[in-house]
Amino acid sequence: MLKLFTLLIFLISFLFASEPKTINLSNEKWEYRWGDSPFSNNTPLWALEDDNTQWKEILFPSNPPNRDEQTNVWYRVKLPDILPDDPNLYIFSIDFIFETYLDGKKIYQFGTFDEKGKGKFEGWPWHLISLDSNSAGKYLYFRIYSDYTDIGLWGEVLIDSKGNIYERLLNYDIPKIIVGSISIFVSILFLLAFISKFRSKELSILGLLFLSQGLNVFCSVKIITLYFSFPLLNQYILAFSFFFFPLGIAYFIDKSIAFKSPFNIIKRVWQFHLIYLVVAFLGSILGILTLPLAYEYFDIVYNFITLPILTIFIIYLFFKGDRQTKIITFSFFLISLYWLYSSLIAYGVVSWEEYPSDIVVFICLLLLAYSIQDRLNYTKELEEAKEELLKLSKIDHLTKLNNRKEIDTVLNFNESIFLRYKDAFSIILIDLDDFKLVNDTYGHLEGDKLLIEIASILTKFTRQTDVVGRWGGEEFIIICPKTKVEDAVKLAQNLRDKISNLDFGIIGKKTASFGVTGFKENDSITELLSRADDTLYSAKSKGKNRVEYVV
């Protein structure tokens, strides 16, 4: 029994040991050869000849030495003697266009070579090349053209089964899809918030930053390209996101942080990148320059000018700014470190690896979103306080009626309406009878209570269109828009009855006198108030607790 169990373990170990794992072709022996091969019957002679003296060894098939402005190069690698089932070659990217040969036969092509062995930029997609199962131990050749800074392969070069490669891509792509989806969703929220109010430019730029980040993530998701494969369009979208990012960062700093930089340099930075974005796209579309060349110039400007300038100001503002400024600058500092690390990879200072850069940028954008939300809340509180102050400036603090200043504004407004549309309006002046006796007998607190109750009666029994105000002391005024004197007199009579019939506690019964008049042709506000005052005086002199009017 023990022998049988040992044999079973041995067989299982043998089966797993004999199954080849993922092959990292980067570790194999690569060779290169500058120039382009002559062809015979569409077969490259360099892929058939046995002369190995022309081939030189290189650690990785990218940017061989002594380029001297050459745009064509060949690479070759000998495939391992054992390949996995369903072998496929996965390449992260290649600059620019290329053909792959095995046994002198072309097995894969990206881009189109002309008669001179040159071609146009077609994008930087990933590549999956199916290999024949009997290709083990044979040389694989790559014919490459590039007038860009880089020429050759980039990133991972692996051999594995198609299923394992797809699974590997999914492991990287699922977090990207999640981050990209959230980024686009958040961008829509910010842009809709901006469109609905048109108040905060930071909302619009933050929405565009999230949108560019979301597009950048989705365009770098390799699994999506299995169903949506447009490498050049994909590259233009990536280029927009790439070129827009420093523009968005500088603009956000310029608009969200109250700081005057020397020569207004932050503003100059985003203006320059806006111009660069437009020129790069128009130039590449019109054929004046290539998109890779636009990338090349952008890297120089950004890495040696924009990034140092932004970093210096970010560090300075972090130590000098308030809490909100610290959040913003800390976020940008993380982004600056991410860009620096990416640049070091691009220049070969740091070895390449696929890392979750999108998550880093997404976290930084979330910090920016938090900062702007915090500021919008603060701004909302200020606006509410401002509205409250504005309200207080128009309201009498005791009676909560409109004060003299606001009544003057309403009178002038109604005068303007009359002059333009001839809409009649009337006013009612009200004075409490013997109010001084109330203060002298019961005290000023009881007098104040009486004024508050009178204000409540005037507000309750007037129309919504009427404007009630405290004219001064124990005097009140009611402005009646689109109302003739006769109707205003009826309102005054009703109010007089309400006041005279009400018991005011220890004060008992109280009465009020009313003076009513209306605005006339060639009249003025001063004349209107003077007439109303005369009618009120007439009511007082005729015994009080009555309504007098003049048409």
Side-chain angles (χ1 to χ4, degrees):
M1 187 68 181
L2 181 60
K3 290 182 180 180
L4 182 60
F5 179 75
T6 304
L7 180 60
L8 182 61
I9 294 295
F10 174 78
L11 288 174
I12 293 173
S13 302
F14 176 78
L15 288 173
F16 278 98
S18 61
E19 182 182 341
K21 299 180 180 179
T22 301
I23 299 172
N24 186 354
L25 210 57
S26 304
N27 298 328
E28 301 298 322
K29 179 183 175 182
W30 285 85
E31 296 173 300
Y32 73 95
R33 185 171 177 177
W34 284 117
D36 197 14
S37 170
F39 281 74
S40 175
N41 296 324
N42 295 324
T43 301
L45 300 183
W46 286 4
L48 298 177
E49 63 183 23
D50 295 328
D51 184 7
N52 295 324
T53 59
Q54 300 297 322
W55 294 89
K56 298 179 181 179
E57 192 171 341
I58 189 171
L59 291 177
F60 186 80
S62 179
N63 300 324
N66 305 317
R67 182 172 182 178
D68 296 330
E69 299 183 356
Q70 298 214 50
T71 57
N72 289 84
V73 69
W74 279 69
Y75 294 103
R76 73 176 185 178
V77 63
K78 190 175 183 181
L79 297 175
D81 293 331
I82 299 177
L83 297 177
D85 294 335
D86 183 28
N88 281 262
L89 174 64
Y90 164 75
I91 304 172
F92 186 84
S93 180
I94 293 183
D95 296 303
F96 274 159
I97 63 173
F98 71 99
E99 295 173 341
T100 306
Y101 291 87
L102 186 68
D103 288 334
K105 296 180 181 179
K106 184 165 61 177
I107 62 172
Y108 187 83
Q109 175 179 338
F110 177 74
T112 304
F113 285 83
D114 59 21
E115 295 178 355
K116 297 180 180 179
K118 304 183 184 303
K120 295 182 179 180
F121 175 71
E122 299 286 348
W124 279 305
W126 61 284
H127 304 279
L128 189 64
I129 304 171
S130 179
L131 300 175
D132 196 277
S133 57
N134 62 3
S135 59
K138 297 180 180 180
Y139 274 102
L140 193 65
Y141 291 84
F142 294 87
R143 179 196 186 194
I144 295 177
Y145 164 80
S146 173
D147 58 359
Y148 181 51
T149 307
D150 295 320
I151 182 169
L153 283 65
W154 177 258
E156 291 179 316
V157 185
L158 307 174
I159 295 179
D160 206 338
S161 66
K162 184 179 291 186
N164 287 344
I165 291 173
Y166 284 170
E167 182 181 359
R168 182 186 184 88
L169 298 181
L170 271 175
N171 290 334
Y172 285 112
D173 287 347
I174 288 177
K176 287 177 176 285
I177 292 172
I178 295 172
V179 169
S181 301
I182 296 175
S183 295
I184 291 179
F185 176 74
V186 173
S187 75
I188 293 173
L189 292 181
F190 276 113
L191 291 174
L192 288 176
F194 168 72
I195 293 172
S196 64
K197 295 185 177 181
F198 287 102
R199 290 168 64 182
S200 176
K201 294 179 181 178
E202 293 91 326
L203 281 175
S204 64
I205 201 67
L206 194 56
L208 290 175
L209 280 169
F210 269 104
L211 179 61
S212 65
Q213 170 65 7
L215 292 175
N216 180 68
V217 171
F218 273 116
C219 287
S220 62
V221 173
K222 301 180 184 67
I223 290 298
I224 291 180
T225 58
L226 291 174
Y227 308 97
F228 185 82
S229 182
F230 298 94
L232 195 56
L233 173 62
N234 191 66
Q235 198 56 54
Y236 271 99
I237 297 174
L238 285 170
F240 171 82
S241 302
F242 194 70
F243 296 158
F244 176 79
F245 207 79
L247 159 63
I249 289 176
Y251 186 89
F252 194 92
I253 292 176
D254 182 39
K255 298 301 179 182
S256 62
I257 300 178
F259 171 75
K260 282 289 183 182
S261 59
F263 311 109
N264 211 356
I265 195 167
I266 299 297
K267 185 176 183 179
R268 300 291 174 263
V269 167
W270 71 257
Q271 287 176 338
F272 170 81
H273 278 281
L274 176 61
I275 295 171
Y276 189 92
L277 178 66
V278 174
V279 171
F281 268 77
L282 287 179
S284 58
I285 292 172
L286 297 175
I288 300 172
L289 55 84
T290 63
L291 197 59
L293 192 62
Y295 269 103
E296 190 174 341
Y297 291 149
F298 177 87
D299 287 340
I300 294 172
V301 171
Y302 182 78
N303 292 321
F304 296 104
I305 299 177
T306 302
L307 186 59
I309 289 174
L310 290 179
T311 303
I312 290 171
F313 280 102
I314 283 168
I315 294 173
Y316 174 81
L317 292 170
F318 179 81
F319 289 104
K320 292 291 185 179
D322 54 15
R323 183 179 73 91
Q324 187 185 70
T325 302
K326 289 184 186 297
I327 294 173
I328 295 173
T329 51
F330 177 73
S331 174
F332 285 143
F333 184 70
L334 291 179
I335 292 175
S336 296
L337 291 177
Y338 151 72
W339 275 83
L340 178 61
Y341 183 69
S342 299
S343 299
L344 292 176
I345 292 176
Y347 287 111
V349 179
V350 177
S351 59
W352 182 92
E353 63 176 331
E354 193 162 15
Y355 62 101
S357 58
D358 306 307
I359 296 177
V360 175
V361 178
F362 180 69
I363 291 172
C364 294
L365 290 179
L366 286 180
L367 286 174
L368 295 183
Y370 172 77
S371 73
I372 197 172
Q373 181 63 37
D374 191 42
R375 197 178 74 169
L376 288 175
N377 288 338
Y378 177 68
T379 303
K380 183 179 179 182
E381 291 174 3
L382 287 179
E383 289 178 352
E384 290 174 352
K386 182 179 178 181
E387 289 177 2
E388 185 64 25
L389 288 173
L390 185 62
K391 183 178 179 181
L392 290 174
S393 69
K394 298 178 179 181
I395 300 299
D396 175 66
H397 73 282
L398 177 65
T399 62
K400 307 307 177 187
L401 298 176
N402 295 293
N403 62 17
R404 181 72 175 261
K405 179 182 176 182
E406 183 63 14
I407 288 297
D408 286 339
T409 301
V410 176
L411 285 170
N412 291 328
F413 173 76
N414 278 275
E415 180 186 23
S416 300
I417 295 297
F418 179 88
L419 294 175
R420 184 168 184 177
Y421 302 107
K422 304 305 178 183
D423 283 347
F425 74 95
S426 302
I427 64 171
I428 305 172
L429 276 183
I430 307 155
D431 185 89
L432 294 181
D433 297 329
D434 304 316
F435 182 73
K436 185 177 182 302
L437 186 62
V438 173
N439 282 336
D440 293 342
T441 306
Y442 303 103
H444 287 280
L445 288 178
E446 289 299 325
D448 288 347
K449 288 181 181 178
L450 176 61
L451 292 174
I452 292 171
E453 291 189 62
I454 293 297
S456 176
I457 293 171
L458 297 179
T459 303
K460 182 177 180 180
F461 294 103
T462 51
R463 301 166 302 180
Q464 287 186 346
T465 55
D466 298 331
V467 179
V468 183
R470 187 180 181 187
W471 194 239
E474 69 272 22
E475 289 189 4
F476 299 87
I477 188 172
I478 302 173
I479 303 171
C480 306
K482 297 185 178 183
T483 304
K484 295 180 180 180
V485 174
E486 294 81 0
D487 295 324
V489 169
K490 293 179 182 178
L491 175 61
Q493 291 285 9
N494 181 53
L495 291 172
R496 187 197 67 82
D497 293 341
K498 296 292 183 184
I499 293 172
S500 61
N501 292 327
L502 190 65
D503 192 307
F504 293 96
I506 62 171
I507 296 175
K509 300 282 187 176
K510 288 302 296 178
T511 61
S513 299
F514 294 75
V516 183
T517 189
F519 196 82
K520 299 185 294 186
E521 193 72 39
N522 300 321
D523 211 349
S524 69
I525 296 298
T526 302
E527 292 171 334
L528 174 72
L529 292 172
S530 179
R531 284 199 310 276
D533 198 56
D534 290 341
T535 56
L536 178 62
Y537 180 79
S538 176
K540 289 281 190 181
S541 63
K542 291 181 179 181
K544 305 176 184 177
N545 190 28
R546 58 185 295 119
V547 176
E548 290 293 325
Y549 66 93
V550 59
V551 179

